[in-house]
Amino acid sequence: MNINETENTLTATREEFNTIIDKALDRKIKSMLDRTAITSLNKSTSVGAIGDGPSANHNNGVITNRVNAVDPYANREKILKTFKFFNAVATNDHGTLRSIMQTYEPEYIRTLSPQVEGTNSAGGYLVPPEFYADVIFLLNEYGFSRKYCAQIQMNSNVLNVSTLTGKPSVSWVSENAAIPASKGTFGRLVLTAQKLAAIYPISNELLSDANVDVYNTILRIFVEVFGAEEDTQVFRGTGSPFTGILNTSGVVTTYLGASSSSGKTHYTDITLDDLINLVQSVGPAQQRGACLFIEQNTLTDLLKKKDSQSRYLWDLATSNDPQVNGANGFSATNLKFHGYPVVSLPNGVIINGYDSGTHASTPFAVFGNLQTAGCWIGTRGGMELRISYDATADTVNAFTNDLQLLRMTERIAFGVGQPGYLGVLSTSAT
């Protein structure tokens, strides 16, 4: 093997190159994620919630198919395909990219509609299913919406989900007497898939030294940006493209000070009494498995509240002492309010900006079990990666800056089937 530092080239025999690839694969396998909890990507199987969220095992009737723990080396061929895919991206080898796509199972390709078509200089390619599985796995682990909502794999762009809008009544009847007819009424929640996309510029210098670390870099970046946007839409989406929980018609609204005219129009007016009112705004059946969803800034204000003797009002005696600053939303470990888990969301998910200004009629906290409330996230198809060498993104031109622009897209849907099962806390109107 000869390495030319001046020309930045490597000359090796086929056997030596195979050894290099084997070593790279070994490093990847040893550092790969524990994927024993990845749900099936089979088109006929619904994707269930992963993690320690409420009702994660039965998932409101959604069937899950978890992969059993196996020897990671048994997945060597799958990992090799993924390695070759990103190596082909790095070297602009579109012939290899097309040949890899031809090895995908027809179902995986068919679920992406319209079909992917190439362009003159660079095409669009479905990323390997293994990469997509890792993306979904990490979104379930580190995002919030996928962790606590119910999930389903969509077989088309639109999915109709039945919802219960009225319950049947029961009657006491005498022996041999007619039983009054009664039936439940049903509604329909329509999930329509929308495209979510992100562009990531990456230097050709980095890609020229491509190895499995590029895989981890791209994976982490897209999981972070996709997860943050999904969380924002699920909790405070305004209809473009989804209507989030806070803005869904039918959710039970509780106001600061217990009245829409209490005069408490500031986020900082929140008290522990308001949280009690929020929890009690939904029925006992809907409180089962429920969580309190608030942002870090709101939680910080609540934790600081003291009585006249400077004692903290929030009793932390039976929970781990939370670190609420600089922990990116994962800080309030085991923190509970009256027995209900508190989910500390990153700032910016529920409200655009937390301040001491006036914000009339603005909801900024959620209570409920998102799964039993029918908060559905639908996933349509796989993930598409497109590559450009001459496009411009954010005033940066790929050609003049010797970059590649990687554009990743996915299609998801969201809706709330039983909004009356959820409570939201809002500032007062006046």
Side-chain angles (χ1 to χ4, degrees):
M1 182 184 305
N2 296 316
I3 301 176
N4 189 324
E5 298 289 351
T6 302
E7 298 180 1
N8 195 27
T9 60
L10 171 66
T11 304
T13 65
R14 182 185 299 273
E15 183 177 347
E16 288 171 335
F17 272 121
N18 287 335
T19 300
I20 294 173
I21 293 176
D22 284 342
K23 289 182 178 180
L25 285 173
D26 288 342
R27 289 198 304 270
K28 168 60 180 173
I29 291 172
K30 291 177 181 178
S31 64
M32 67 186 296
L33 299 166
D34 176 7
R35 295 170 58 186
T36 57
I38 294 179
T39 54
S40 172
L41 294 179
N42 185 295
K43 182 181 176 184
S44 63
T45 303
S46 299
V47 178
I50 297 176
D52 57 1
S55 306
N57 290 329
H58 26 84
N59 194 24
N60 198 23
V62 177
I63 300 173
T64 61
N65 181 15
R66 298 182 183 273
V67 179
N68 293 327
V70 296
D71 180 359
Y73 283 89
N75 294 320
R76 187 179 185 84
E77 290 303 316
K78 294 181 178 180
I79 299 171
L80 178 59
K81 181 191 296 184
T82 304
F83 173 82
K84 288 181 177 179
F85 178 88
F86 284 98
N87 190 60
V89 169
T91 58
N92 305 334
D93 187 352
H94 296 279
T96 297
L97 289 170
R98 295 187 186 97
S99 66
I100 291 175
M101 279 198 63
Q102 293 174 357
T103 66
Y104 295 163
E105 295 182 3
E107 285 297 308
Y108 183 68
I109 297 177
R110 189 162 69 88
T111 54
L112 188 70
S113 177
Q115 294 283 326
V116 177
E117 296 179 357
T119 59
N120 292 333
S121 61
Y125 304 95
L126 282 174
V127 299
E130 294 74 37
F131 177 89
Y132 182 51
D134 280 347
V135 171
I136 296 299
F137 175 66
L138 286 180
L139 284 173
N140 279 293
E141 283 291 294
Y142 299 112
F144 290 91
S145 53
R146 288 182 181 266
K147 188 172 183 178
Y148 290 93
C149 291
Q151 296 186 55
I152 191 168
Q153 189 78 14
M154 300 173 64
N155 296 336
S156 63
N157 294 341
V158 177
L159 176 66
N160 295 316
V161 180
S162 296
T163 60
L164 181 66
T165 58
K167 299 178 181 179
S169 59
V170 296
S171 302
W172 294 102
V173 295
S174 300
E175 183 179 357
N176 202 31
I179 301 175
S182 176
K183 62 180 181 180
T185 56
F186 296 87
R188 176 172 292 179
L189 172 65
V190 180
L191 298 179
T192 303
Q194 303 290 342
K195 182 183 292 186
L196 178 62
I199 295 178
Y200 173 57
I202 187 168
S203 70
N204 284 320
E205 285 85 356
L206 175 60
L207 286 176
S208 65
D209 299 322
N211 52 43
V212 288
D213 291 335
V214 174
Y215 172 93
N216 291 322
T217 299
I218 296 174
L219 175 68
R220 175 177 51 80
I221 289 172
F222 281 105
V223 165
E224 286 181 359
V225 296
F226 276 59
E229 180 57 24
E230 287 181 2
D231 289 345
T232 299
Q233 286 295 321
V234 165
F235 284 99
R236 65 175 173 94
T238 58
S240 298
F242 305 120
T243 300
I245 295 170
L246 294 176
N247 298 306
T248 296
S249 176
V251 296
V252 182
T253 302
T254 298
Y255 293 96
L256 296 181
S259 169
S260 61
S261 57
S262 66
K264 295 188 174 183
T265 58
H266 306 83
Y267 300 135
T268 52
D269 290 332
I270 189 172
T271 66
L272 298 186
D273 286 349
D274 294 320
L275 290 190
I276 294 175
N277 291 335
L278 172 62
V279 168
Q280 297 302 322
S281 68
V282 299
Q286 285 70 54
Q287 293 176 8
R288 296 171 183 167
C291 295
L292 175 64
F293 299 87
I294 53 179
E295 287 190 350
Q296 282 186 309
N297 281 330
T298 307
L299 178 60
T300 300
D301 272 351
L302 286 167
L303 293 174
K304 289 180 178 179
K305 293 185 181 296
K306 303 176 182 178
D307 62 12
S308 58
Q309 300 181 40
S310 296
R311 295 175 299 187
Y312 289 108
L313 295 175
W314 193 303
D315 183 12
L316 296 174
T318 59
S319 63
N320 293 341
D321 192 14
Q323 302 296 320
V324 297
N325 294 318
N328 203 24
F330 301 97
S331 54
T333 304
N334 296 329
L335 183 64
K336 293 185 177 182
F337 179 77
H338 284 250
Y340 297 102
V342 176
V343 180
S344 176
L345 299 172
N347 295 324
V349 171
I350 288 185
I351 49 181
N352 191 35
Y354 188 90
D355 54 42
S356 58
T358 300
H359 301 277
S361 298
T362 304
F364 65 109
V366 177
F367 176 78
N369 185 326
L370 303 191
Q371 290 189 16
T372 58
C375 295
W376 287 97
I377 293 180
T379 303
R380 171 69 178 131
M383 233 172 199
E384 179 192 353
L385 174 68
R386 281 188 176 269
I387 312 162
S388 177
Y389 314 111
D390 51 16
T392 298
D394 291 335
T395 71
V396 176
N397 181 265
F399 180 79
T400 57
N401 288 274
D402 194 23
L403 302 172
Q404 289 187 29
L405 298 180
L406 307 182
R407 188 186 72 191
M408 197 80 75
T409 60
E410 71 166 355
R411 289 191 297 159
I412 62 171
F414 175 73
V416 182
Q418 302 287 355
Y421 287 18
L422 298 172
V424 298
L425 180 64
S426 172
T427 56
S428 64
T430 56

